[in-house]
Amino acid sequence: NLARRFAAKQQQRILDVSLDQDRLEAMPVHEYVDLYVV
């Protein structure tokens, strides 16, 4: 579903963080949400 909305580079950044639990837990929520800004 990411491909329907985001460019390939942005998709990869979202996936990289989302699939790395340690990195995701360390990231502030506002930074994670910012990854989804079109």
Side-chain angles (χ1 to χ4, degrees), residues 5-35:
R5 191 67 154 157
F6 303 106
K9 188 176 181 181
Q10 190 171 2
Q11 291 174 49
Q12 194 58 53
R13 283 192 302 236
I14 293 168
L15 286 173
D16 287 346
V17 172
S18 298
L19 297 175
D20 182 339
Q21 185 171 354
D22 291 333
R23 192 169 159 200
L24 181 59
E25 289 175 1
M27 178 179 271
V29 172
H30 72 276
E31 286 182 20
Y32 183 73
V33 173
D34 285 349
L35 294 174

